[in-house]
Amino acid sequence: MSTHSGPQRTILTIFGTRPEAIKLFPLVHALDADDRFDSRVLVTGQHRGMLDQVLEIAGITPHDDLDVMQPDQTLDALTARLLTGIGEVMNRVQPDYVVVQGDTATAMCGALAAYYRKVPVCHVEAGLRSGDIYHPWPEEVNRKVIGSFAALHCAPTEVSQNALLRENIDPSIVHVTGNTVIDALHWITAKVEAEPALASGLADVEARFAGKKIIGMTSHRRENFGDGMRAIADAVKRIAARDDVAIIFPVHLNPNVRAVMNDELAGMDNVALLEPLDYPHFARLLDISHLMLTDSGGVQEEAPALGKPVLVMRETTERPEGVDAGTARLVGTDADTIVTEVTRLLDDPAAYAAMAQAHNPFGDGHSAQRIADLLAPN
């Protein structure tokens, strides 16, 4: 803890989804433990149950909770509710700095509400770019909006730093900090090791699939809804026909995912369709998996920290560092390609080792403290 004797800086950290909560709780912990800061937390509830699970395990009680989600809410309706709700909290809190993470509607609206009040914005996980405004959609544009006026850009890697510099961002406000998701993963792994009961809920499925190579899977991207989801399901069916493989798939709550996956995969001997996992259980899934099959962004960062190859079911990624380092490979949503690449990792030990042993480019577990130091008053 700092022994700072000057005035505190009021930091309002804003998040709303499970991935944001995971990536920001290490920073909230760092700010809370540092007397240079008056740390305030606003959650929007853009995810509800999944968000609350992370808050509970991380021991964070928000100061404000907007609880914005409504059934079948459009992006523009969500954006309007976020912007006005966040603005009302800012008017009351009067923060010196606002922190947002990543690429969600919450992050974009939090940053925009701060800009409207001339409050400086710290963007955690800044500079990720796919180069295509519709992949991922709407996340790519959300990131670019925040990046256009943030006062402090915390880039996880040199690749993301360089992306910001190409957009003519002032180099003095761009800092490579590593990704806080690695801080979070180290924290939760140590916590589960000390308290195994936190992740004991997978014991039955682990016993069921004993002796098999487990493929951990996630899929939820909007751009994959429809034909992409059906192709992914077809690939999983073909992979699960092998008797040496098992697939553990926590199925996202979105009906565009659930309808397809339940129709196509329910009842298969080698496929376990689970409810979404809380953070300790997801860390356990990463740990027991032979490889990860995903269209998620965060998994591309987390899995390499545990030496797990990642096959990314997307056409582009805003995290090219993993691909460049060899920890991740883009496979798209073509069923034949997915099956071919999974089979290669299952059957070719050299190909597997090349990915599993590659250096993780996303951080060393000390990113949150670096960001806290950047936020501190001079």
Side-chain angles (χ1 to χ4, degrees):
M1 176 183 281
S2 164
T3 55
H4 175 67
S5 59
Q8 288 185 314
R9 177 168 278 182
T10 299
I11 309 291
L12 180 62
T13 302
I14 304 173
F15 53 94
T17 66
R18 177 180 183 269
E20 287 171 292
I22 289 170
K23 291 184 176 183
L24 283 176
F25 83 70
L27 179 57
V28 171
H29 286 173
L31 296 174
D32 284 345
D34 192 325
D35 64 5
R36 293 176 294 181
F37 304 106
D38 175 15
S39 174
R40 308 275 302 190
V41 173
L42 163 61
V43 300
T44 65
Q46 190 178 335
H47 289 170
R48 188 69 272 172
M50 294 187 289
L51 169 68
D52 292 342
Q53 290 168 357
V54 179
L55 294 173
E56 182 178 359
I57 193 71
I60 292 173
T61 302
H63 298 84
D64 292 279
D65 187 336
L66 300 181
D67 200 21
V68 296
M69 289 311 288
Q70 296 179 346
D72 301 317
Q73 186 166 223
T74 62
L75 280 174
D76 44 7
L78 172 62
T79 299
R81 298 188 74 207
L82 286 167
L83 194 56
T84 54
I86 291 169
E88 289 170 2
V89 174
M90 284 189 192
N91 290 343
R92 176 162 38 82
V93 174
Q94 295 289 306
D96 298 309
Y97 236 105
V98 163
V99 174
V100 297
Q101 187 278 328
D103 53 22
T104 66
T106 288
M108 190 268 284
C109 291
L112 195 57
Y115 169 72
Y116 287 161
R117 288 158 180 80
K118 297 185 179 178
V119 176
V121 173
C122 168
H123 189 196
V124 175
E125 198 180 75
L128 276 64
R129 297 291 185 270
S130 71
D132 183 338
I133 64 170
Y134 296 110
H135 290 88
W137 172 84
E139 289 86 354
E140 179 77 0
V141 164
N142 289 344
R143 283 193 288 263
K144 289 172 72 71
V145 168
I146 301 166
S148 67
F149 57 76
L152 177 60
H153 303 259
C154 297
T157 67
E158 288 186 7
V159 170
S160 45
Q161 177 189 45
N162 290 337
L164 292 165
L165 298 181
R166 285 195 299 272
E167 294 174 4
N168 297 316
I169 305 296
D170 179 355
S172 71
I173 60 172
V174 180
H175 301 267
V176 177
T177 59
N179 198 309
T180 54
V181 76
I182 308 303
D183 302 39
L185 188 62
H186 288 328
W187 184 90
I188 194 63
T189 301
K191 191 170 182 68
V192 169
E193 190 172 317
E195 303 174 52
L198 288 172
S200 61
L202 290 179
D204 288 349
V205 74
E206 289 184 48
R208 172 181 162 193
F209 294 148
K212 296 181 184 291
K213 291 179 178 177
I214 291 173
I215 298 171
M217 180 173 167
T218 70
S219 185
H220 70 278
R221 305 297 320 180
R222 287 176 184 268
E223 62 265 30
N224 286 344
F225 290 173
D227 290 345
M229 283 293 161
R230 283 186 284 274
I232 290 168
D234 178 49
V236 172
K237 279 198 291 191
R238 290 159 58 183
I239 294 163
R242 294 175 55 130
D243 60 10
D244 63 336
V245 167
I247 294 159
I248 299 178
F249 183 5
V251 184
H252 197 275
L253 294 172
N254 191 300
N256 291 288
V257 180
R258 293 215 144 190
V260 173
M261 297 306 174
N262 287 336
D263 283 350
E264 298 290 334
L265 303 176
M268 295 192 69
D269 288 345
N270 285 4
V271 179
L273 300 179
L274 307 181
E275 290 300 305
L277 299 176
D278 64 16
Y279 189 40
H281 285 92
F282 187 74
R284 176 64 181 168
L285 176 59
L286 286 174
D287 197 34
I288 64 175
S289 292
H290 187 67
L291 63 96
M292 292 298 297
L293 187 61
T294 188
D295 60 13
S296 164
V299 176
Q300 297 175 50
E301 301 154 349
E302 292 166 311
L306 299 179
K308 311 297 179 171
V310 188
L311 297 179
V312 184
M313 298 181 293
R314 290 162 60 174
E315 303 301 328
T316 62
T317 180
E318 64 282 16
R319 294 167 173 85
E321 300 91 336
V323 176
D324 293 344
T327 64
R329 181 182 294 267
L330 289 172
V331 298
T333 57
D334 176 74
D336 290 341
T337 303
I338 295 170
V339 172
T340 297
E341 293 296 333
V342 170
T343 301
R344 187 174 67 89
L345 288 177
L346 292 172
D347 295 341
D348 183 343
Y352 182 86
M355 292 186 74
Q357 295 169 12
H359 167 70
N360 181 10
F362 292 109
D364 60 3
H366 300 287
S367 302
Q369 189 57 54
R370 291 190 190 100
I371 296 168
D373 289 340
L374 291 168
L375 285 167
N378 294 327

